[in-house]
């Protein structure tokens, strides 16, 4: 068990109208405040096409005809100033953002693929909503071998590349994020296996924070590996409880993220969610990693919810412990500890 930190116990709606013809795609709309009044000075842009428009006194914007590269985009306006953007098998519903970039947004499955224009290239582009110098909303669409990847994020960093991963074992969908050369899940794993737990056995906590796993369960090994060395069974890119094509990151892969890509400067603050769930020292989520303070389970007790995030690595420290990454609320950094393998910690998966 590690050394513990002491426990402490104006939305704007963006509407969009898009013509569905591939040869004549137009994008226009209006940005309104929660009082129904127009917001001026909001910039709507397509990043790669280098097209932009700023809302006028009526809150209106118009990008005109856009390149055929994003012709697969289809927008379906809905009631109350909301909208649905659809493409292929995925859709994103935008319901609003506040001045900090927080707000309601959710993805819903599209059961029937939408038709596409013949010969369409499917070149990705990103719709950005920028207000008062900060990106508040982004929607990115791209074609890949795994299907359409749709991105939704509100962040300080407009270059973030998000995607989605659907776990075929239980149908759960997770956001993913590319940080440097690595692609991580941007949410904690919530796949149920033996020796995994919801914080305080409350399923609502699993929904919010994912499950807490004993190390052997995280690695897909027999429980006996919690009390003996099983290094010989842990090959590179050990899948463990992760979905196919993903694995539990090694200690070296965690280090590559926190000390390599991020440069070892306030890396915890950069990776923590900008969310009031953190009791203090809320992060800025600069890279879209969105670490949440899900606590951990040690000696059968659930501890430090809202105070820290604790993630397993695939690397053993000894026969009875394994290396872990700790995001404490009191620190701007990311700490490295060995945890008892029988403790319950969160999992982030890394793409193979």
């Amino acid at each position: 068990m590690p050394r513990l930190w002491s426990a402490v116990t104006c939305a704007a709606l963006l509407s969009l109208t898009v013509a569905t013809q591939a040869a004549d795609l137009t994008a226009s709309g209006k940005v309104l405040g929660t009082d129904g009044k127009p917001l001026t000075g909001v910039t709507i842009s397509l990043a790669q096409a280098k097209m932009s428009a700023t809302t006028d006194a009526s809150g209106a914007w118009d990008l005109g005809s856009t390149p055929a590269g994003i012709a697969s985009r289809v927008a379906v306006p809905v009631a109350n100033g909301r909208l649905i953007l659809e493409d292929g098998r995925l859709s994103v519903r935008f319901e609003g953002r506040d001045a900090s970039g927080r707000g309601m947004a959710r993805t819903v499955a599209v059961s029937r693929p939408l038709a596409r224009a013949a010969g369409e290239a499917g070149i990705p582009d990103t719709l950005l909503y920028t207000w008062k110098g900060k990106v508040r909303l982004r929607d990115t669409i791209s074609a890949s071998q795994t299907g359409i990847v749709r991105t939704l994020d509100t962040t300080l960093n407009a270059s973030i590349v998000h995607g989605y991963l659907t776990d075929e074992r239980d149908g759960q969908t997770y956001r993913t994020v590319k940080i440097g050369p690595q692609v991580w899940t941007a949410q904690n794993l919530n796949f149920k296996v033996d020796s995994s737990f919801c914080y305080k056995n409350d399923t609502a906590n699993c929904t919010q924070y994912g499950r807490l796993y004993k190390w052997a369960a995280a690695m897909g090994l027999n429980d006996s590996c919690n009390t003996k060395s099983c290094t010989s069974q842990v090959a590179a890119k050990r899948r463990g409880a992760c979905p196919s094509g993903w694995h539990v990151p090694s200690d070296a892969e965690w280090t590559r993220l926190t000390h390599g890509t991020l440069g070892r400067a306030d890396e915890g603050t950069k990776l923590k969610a900008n969310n009031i769930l953190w009791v203090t020292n809320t992060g800025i989520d600069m890279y879209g990693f969105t670490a949440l303070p899900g606590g951990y389970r040690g000696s059968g007790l659930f501890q430090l919810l809202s105070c820290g995030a604790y993630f397993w690595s695939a690397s053993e420290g000894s026969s009875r412990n394994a290396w872990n990454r700790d995001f404490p609320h009191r620190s701007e950094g990311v700490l490295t500890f060995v945890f008892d393998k029988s403790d319950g910690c969160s999992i982030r998966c890394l793409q193979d």
Side-chain angles (χ1 to χ4, degrees), residues 128-324:
L128 300 175
Y129 163 10
T130 307
W131 190 41
K132 294 186 177 180
K134 293 183 179 180
V135 174
R136 310 294 177 176
L137 179 150
R138 31 182 280 127
D139 169 41
T140 302
I141 297 174
S142 65
S144 72
Q145 293 181 342
T146 57
I148 300 300
V149 177
R150 183 175 298 284
T151 318
L152 170 65
D153 188 46
T154 54
T155 175
L156 300 176
N157 186 347
S159 66
I160 291 175
V161 179
H162 273 298
Y164 286 92
L165 159 69
T166 298
D167 191 337
E168 296 180 352
R169 298 170 298 180
D170 61 7
Q172 292 191 80
T173 298
Y174 302 89
R175 286 192 311 120
T176 65
V177 63
K178 186 176 187 297
I179 306 177
Q182 300 173 315
V183 180
W184 292 80
T185 53
Q187 294 170 269
N188 296 351
L189 189 67
N190 189 29
F191 181 66
K192 185 176 181 178
V193 297
D194 290 342
S195 296
S196 68
F197 315 89
C198 296
Y199 193 93
K200 288 195 172 179
N201 301 311
D202 185 343
T203 56
N205 286 325
C206 273
T207 300
Q208 180 77 72
Y209 301 104
R211 300 186 73 85
L212 301 174
Y213 299 80
K214 292 186 178 182
W215 186 81
M219 301 305 299
L221 298 170
N222 187 278
D223 281 348
S224 62
C225 289
N226 288 327
T227 54
K228 69 177 184 180
S229 177
C230 290
T231 297
S232 62
Q233 300 181 52
V234 183
K237 298 182 180 180
R238 174 76 184 187
R239 175 182 174 182
C242 291
S244 177
W246 298 74
H247 63 276
V248 179
S250 67
D251 182 67
E253 288 172 322
W254 271 109
T255 298
R256 187 175 188 179
L257 170 69
T258 59
H259 295 169
T261 303
L262 274 62
R264 203 170 185 176
D266 304 331
E267 64 273 21
T269 299
K270 293 174 181 176
L271 295 174
K272 289 176 186 174
N274 182 359
N275 195 299
I276 60 173
L277 293 172
W278 285 95
V279 64
T280 60
N281 195 27
T282 295
I284 60 175
D285 207 12
M286 182 175 288
Y287 294 91
F289 189 82
T290 318
L292 291 174
Y296 82 107
R297 183 179 184 270
S299 302
L301 301 176
F302 295 99
Q303 305 180 58
L304 298 184
L305 187 73
S306 297
C307 294
Y310 306 89
F311 298 103
W312 281 127
S313 83
S315 303
E316 287 186 315
S318 71
S319 60
R320 301 187 69 94
N321 60 52
W323 290 102
N324 183 285

